[in-house]
């Protein structure tokens, strides 16, 4: 852990971690559920100290961490493989293509990284209960990490969350409250709960350490590429916190003088859940009225980190685009068949975006080093691919039947 202060991403005021928990007390004052968060805090570290202490030959990642290692849950998260996918890359005109397979985290998604750090913070603060709203993955992540840390997880999810994710939460001993409504309803209810009943709220971007946890995916990409900055990172976008977290990794590295540039961020949204895409395009924020998509993890009316995600895309000279559910399921199959990586629809959205980009005028340079983030495991939602494939009927156990 390196000493840090929280800085408001809107007004720039600074606070110690003992002074605030969630949003900037000034800018967050006007926040009400149903609008993008205002006053999101970012951790600003003692960068000269990181610069002087970091050694690539023996990297100490705790230097970039906002919670002391003694509070970390015993479960190991992150350190997922970065796979060079040469054949797929060449078919897209990008021989330098990698996939970061974050579906191989303990609960099967990148969200374990955020839950891990917030659970560590709960232990530091002496809180016994961590509360979250989630489309599914963040909640599964919280459930397993809390099980590891000996904490209680209380979870609000839309009742339509995929069964695989709900099962993970319940099996891991979480208290699950399915909500008749959307993710946004669950988000609001979880805030009301912590305001009235206490516990530490893990809602994405609302708790600043969710961004810090997700940052570790970006740090790993840098290390796994031999301490090189990729030219672009392609990320699927719902609330915009993974995108913000990956950006923060490279911002921290740059502030510490360990890299001299940022990768372009390519944010991919589902066609109907496109609030951040439109915000980047027009500069005007509007909700996604009907965010229905097969990619449940990125289905959101009002992305909590809309402002931060837009800022990150612009600062990195990146771009955003949208893809249809058909394109997402095509990309899911393509990725699985050509690399063996089975990612859920939200993870496949990033690959679908890259495929679309390479077919159009905005295609990336053939010598670009590009990383696609596969954010969740395909087994979390088997219903979606089942709309495309069928399981062959059983045969009699005789060779004639097999030959037929
Ligand atoms: Zn502020």
């Amino acid at each position: 852990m390196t000493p840090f202060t929280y800085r408001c991403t809107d007004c720039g005021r600074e606070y110690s971690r003992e002074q605030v928990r969630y949003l900037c007390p000034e800018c967050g004052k006007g926040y009400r559920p149903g609008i993008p968060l205002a006053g999101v805090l970012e951790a600003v570290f003692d960068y000269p100290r990181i610069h002087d202490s970091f050694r690539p030959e023996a990297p100490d990642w705790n230097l970039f961490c906002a919670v002391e290692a003694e509070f970390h849950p015993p479960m190991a998260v992150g350190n997922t493989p970065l796979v060079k996918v040469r054949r797929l890359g060449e078919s897209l005109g990008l021989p330098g293509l990698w996939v970061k397979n974050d579906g191989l985290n303990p609960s099967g998604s990148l969200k374990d990284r955020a839950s891990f750090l917030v659970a560590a913070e709960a232990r530091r603060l002496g809180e016994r209960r961590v509360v979250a709203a989630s489309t599914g993955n963040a909640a599964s992540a919280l459930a397993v990490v809390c099980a590891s840390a000996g904490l209680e997880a209380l979870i609000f999810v839309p009742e339509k969350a995929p069964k695989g994710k709900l099962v993970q939460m319940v099996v891991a001993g979480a208290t699950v409250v399915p909500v008749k409504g959307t993710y946004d309803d669950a988000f609001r209810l979880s805030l009301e709960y912590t305001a009235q009943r206490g516990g530490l709220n893990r809602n994405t971007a609302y708790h600043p350490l969710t961004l810090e946890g997700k940052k570790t995916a970006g740090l790993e990409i840098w290390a796994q590429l031999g301490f090189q900055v990729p030219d672009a990172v392609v990320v699927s976008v719902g609330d915009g916190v993974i995108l913000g977290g990956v950006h923060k990794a490279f911002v921290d590295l740059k502030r510490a003088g360990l890299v001299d540039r940022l990768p372009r961020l390519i944010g991919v949204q589902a066609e109907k859940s496109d609030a951040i895409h439109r915000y980047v395009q027009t500069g005007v924020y509007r909700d996604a009225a009907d965010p229905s998509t097969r990619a449940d993890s990125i289905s959101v009316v009002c992305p909590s980190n809309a402002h931060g995600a837009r800022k990150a895309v612009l600062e990195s000279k990146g771009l955003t685009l949208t893809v249809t559910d058909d394109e997402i399921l095509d990309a899911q199959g393509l990725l699985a068949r050509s690399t063996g990586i089975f990612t859920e629809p939200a993870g496949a959205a990033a690959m679908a975006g890259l495929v679309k980009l390479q077919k159009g005028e905005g295609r990336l340079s053939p010598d670009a080093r590009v990383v696609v983030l596969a954010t969740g495991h395909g087994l979390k939602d088997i219903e979606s691919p089942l709309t495309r494939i069928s399981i062959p009927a059983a045969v009699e156990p005789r060779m004639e039947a097999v030959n037929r």
Side-chain angles (χ1 to χ4, degrees), residues 8-13 15 24-28 39 41:
C8 173
T9 53
D10 288 324
C11 73
R13 282 187 183 84
Y15 306 91
C24 167
E26 289 302 316
C27 304
L41 298 174

Side-chain angles (χ1 to χ4, degrees), residues 15 104 299 339:
Y15 306 91
L104 296 184
S299 166
T339 72

